[in-house]
Amino acid sequence: MAQQDTADVDEVFRVETHGIDPIPDVERHGSAKDLFWLWFGSNLTFTYVINGALAVAFGLSFWQATVVVVIGGLSFFAISAAGLSGIRTGTATLVISRAAFGVRGNFPAGVLNWVVSIGYTIVNTVVGTLALEVFFAEIGWQGGTAGRAVALLVTLALTFAVAMWGHATVQFAERWMAYVLAAGFGVLLLFVLPGADTAAAATAPGLSGWSLAFVVMFAGPFSYVPMPADYTRYLPRTTSLRSITWMGALGGFVSSVALGVAGVAAATQTDMTDAVAGAESLLPGWFQPLFLALVLGGSVTNSIITLYSSSLNLQVLGIPWSRARAIVISAAVTAVGSLAALFLTDFTTSLLSFLSLLIIVFAPWGGVFLTDMLLRRCRYDSDALHAGSTGAYWYRSGYHPAGMAALLAGMAFAALTCDSELWTGPLVASLGGADLTLLGSVVSGLAYWALTRRLQPAYAPVA
């Protein structure tokens, strides 16, 4: 065997040279345990505390909200399973989805996914920046505008440096930051959980309250659907598919449920309209600066994986640059967006409303992609995924009719039943205010299965 080119070795603190090109077997490494730490660390984010608090705000009791949090955490089994295609193909999720939608049909979702990735990176960057700014104030530096600017630079630098180095450094950073964040959030739970009012009755949430709570809990995990293969593509082909699913799912489940329950508990004790301030009020003074550091750390761990995947996303969209160069575009847009969010008070609210509306697209997209993966049993023609118009996934002029039709069916259902600040579907009132957007994934998945069921032997070729 020829000696491996050291320039292509995936090592910590060395810039990764691979992008969406298939990872050769000789360069694959690691184990399923790496996925536990990746998903555990990246989901140790304060967002889940906010989500848990929102469930109570929608009228659910402590135990009802806890059930919703746990069910939301179970969705990480689907997210983790979506990474199985990466080990078979050695490439990124948004390359693999060409099989479901066609090379051209895959393009619109690729654009929107990049927007979503950058949007959530901006939101996390702003949350981390504000937490660090308050941290500066609590240790005695009232920096004003200069302090906020420094906080933003620190947050961006921590995120960009790790994402720029690439896959191995991302996994390394997520694991070691997870150790620290898990210890810190564990202490937070010790302070917040004992005071929870578990006996308080629900305030008649109705279908609207229940559905909104589920949308909030599932929205975060669903935003990961276009990413899992990005982090499994380096694993050896011999890695157990079951272990990949379980390790990734447990990582996301444990961290999201623990922090979600913390948010539920906090909301039964104090006003969580300003979630950071509300949670901080339940903590002893000595722990409050450490709490702010936890908020910053959680924001960074989540931003790292979204920023990293955004660079692969740009390559899928045809940016003729290396992954490391492409990430500069994402980082620059994140910086500009973060500046706008920090100095234009209504920008963050508008951005969050816009991002929440995009679940109309991504729930159905995820339904088609996961159904296609199941029909194919994670078996793809890896060369055809990169072959463009000469490959098997070009279909009709670059579009897969079944995939596009199923996607549109799911989007239509989601749009009709969506209840958000920017759009209220015409069926919401007749449904008692229920938001059934997430079921767009079920509609699109069933539609795709119905349109392709006669092709199942071709979709699941013998290995």
Side-chain angles (χ1 to χ4, degrees):
M1 181 181 295
Q3 186 175 359
Q4 184 178 344
D5 184 356
T6 56
D8 292 333
V9 175
D10 184 40
E11 292 184 351
V12 177
F13 304 130
R14 173 180 288 183
V15 176
E16 178 190 5
T17 57
H18 285 296
I20 62 173
D21 53 303
I23 307 301
D25 287 347
V26 70
E27 295 179 34
R28 296 196 182 195
H29 60 90
S31 69
K33 292 180 181 178
D34 297 331
L35 298 177
F36 173 87
W37 293 110
L38 176 84
W39 291 110
F40 179 71
S42 62
N43 285 284
L44 284 171
T45 172
F46 194 72
T47 301
Y48 290 105
V49 176
I50 298 173
N51 291 348
L54 283 173
V56 176
F58 293 145
L60 276 63
S61 69
F62 174 87
W63 292 113
Q64 289 173 336
T66 297
V67 168
V68 174
V69 168
V70 171
I71 294 175
L74 290 173
S75 65
F76 276 99
F77 278 89
I79 304 305
S80 188
L84 299 179
S85 54
I87 198 171
R88 289 282 176 81
T89 63
T91 192
T93 304
L94 281 170
V95 175
I96 301 165
S97 59
R98 290 169 175 169
F101 301 100
V103 176
R104 287 177 173 168
N106 192 56
F107 191 86
V111 173
L112 288 176
N113 181 68
W114 184 79
V115 172
V116 170
S117 296
I118 296 302
Y120 278 116
T121 305
I122 291 171
V123 171
N124 279 319
T125 299
V126 169
V127 171
T129 297
L130 294 177
L132 186 55
E133 183 183 18
V134 176
F135 176 82
F136 287 157
E138 292 195 358
I139 62 175
W141 181 38
Q142 299 290 342
T145 302
R148 176 168 290 188
V150 170
L152 175 59
L153 285 173
V154 170
T155 306
L156 285 172
L158 289 173
T159 304
F160 176 71
V162 175
M164 168 66 82
W165 270 315
H167 176 266
T169 310
V170 167
Q171 289 196 318
F172 175 84
E174 293 289 352
R175 181 168 190 152
W176 285 97
M177 291 178 75
Y179 294 154
V180 176
L181 291 174
F185 278 119
V187 175
L188 173 70
L189 287 169
L190 292 177
F191 287 128
V192 173
L193 288 182
D197 184 0
T198 59
T203 57
L207 284 175
S208 176
W210 278 99
S211 65
L212 287 173
F214 275 112
V215 168
V216 166
M217 296 304 167
F218 280 103
F222 259 88
S223 69
Y224 292 130
V225 173
M227 299 182 190
D230 302 0
Y231 304 101
T232 58
R233 71 194 204 282
Y234 274 95
L235 291 176
R237 292 180 189 272
T238 55
T239 309
S240 164
L241 299 186
R242 179 177 296 181
S243 66
I244 289 175
T245 302
W246 275 91
M247 287 295 99
L250 287 176
F253 177 84
V254 171
S255 52
S256 65
V257 169
L259 296 186
V261 172
V264 172
T268 65
Q269 303 171 66
T270 188
D271 180 10
M272 290 289 283
T273 304
D274 182 339
V276 174
E280 192 176 15
S281 69
L282 300 175
L283 305 173
W286 65 266
F287 188 71
Q288 290 177 3
L290 296 176
F291 165 70
L292 294 170
L294 291 175
V295 175
L296 168 64
S299 297
V300 169
T301 60
N302 194 262
S303 292
I304 285 171
I305 67 167
T306 55
L307 189 61
Y308 173 79
S309 286
S310 75
S311 64
L312 298 176
N313 198 156
L314 287 174
Q315 288 190 314
V316 174
L317 295 177
I319 299 295
W321 289 0
S322 68
R323 182 206 59 82
R325 290 181 64 192
I327 206 171
V328 175
I329 298 176
S330 295
V333 175
T334 299
V336 172
S338 298
L339 285 169
L342 289 166
F343 294 101
L344 300 176
T345 55
D346 62 343
F347 181 85
T348 303
T349 300
S350 299
L351 178 61
L352 284 170
S353 298
F354 173 68
L355 292 174
S356 66
L357 189 62
L358 288 183
I359 197 170
I360 290 176
V361 177
F362 281 103
W365 186 93
V368 174
F369 174 73
L370 292 172
T371 302
D372 180 77
M373 189 183 73
L374 288 172
L375 289 174
R376 297 180 191 277
R377 301 175 193 171
C378 296
R379 301 184 188 278
Y380 300 85
D381 182 338
S382 297
D383 292 334
L385 289 171
H386 300 270
S389 60
T390 62
Y393 303 128
W394 186 250
Y395 300 112
R396 295 182 183 176
S397 301
Y399 299 91
H400 187 196
M404 302 306 295
L407 176 62
L408 291 174
M411 288 175 59
F413 177 89
L416 290 170
T417 59
C418 176
D419 183 15
S420 71
E421 292 185 13
L422 297 180
W423 168 260
T424 299
L427 297 183
V428 171
S430 61
L431 292 170
D435 185 331
L436 304 182
T437 314
L438 291 170
L439 291 182
S441 61
V442 178
V443 171
S444 65
L446 290 175
Y448 189 75
W449 174 82
L451 291 170
T452 59
R453 66 185 186 276
R454 293 182 180 179
L455 302 175
Q456 286 187 49
Y459 272 51
V462 178

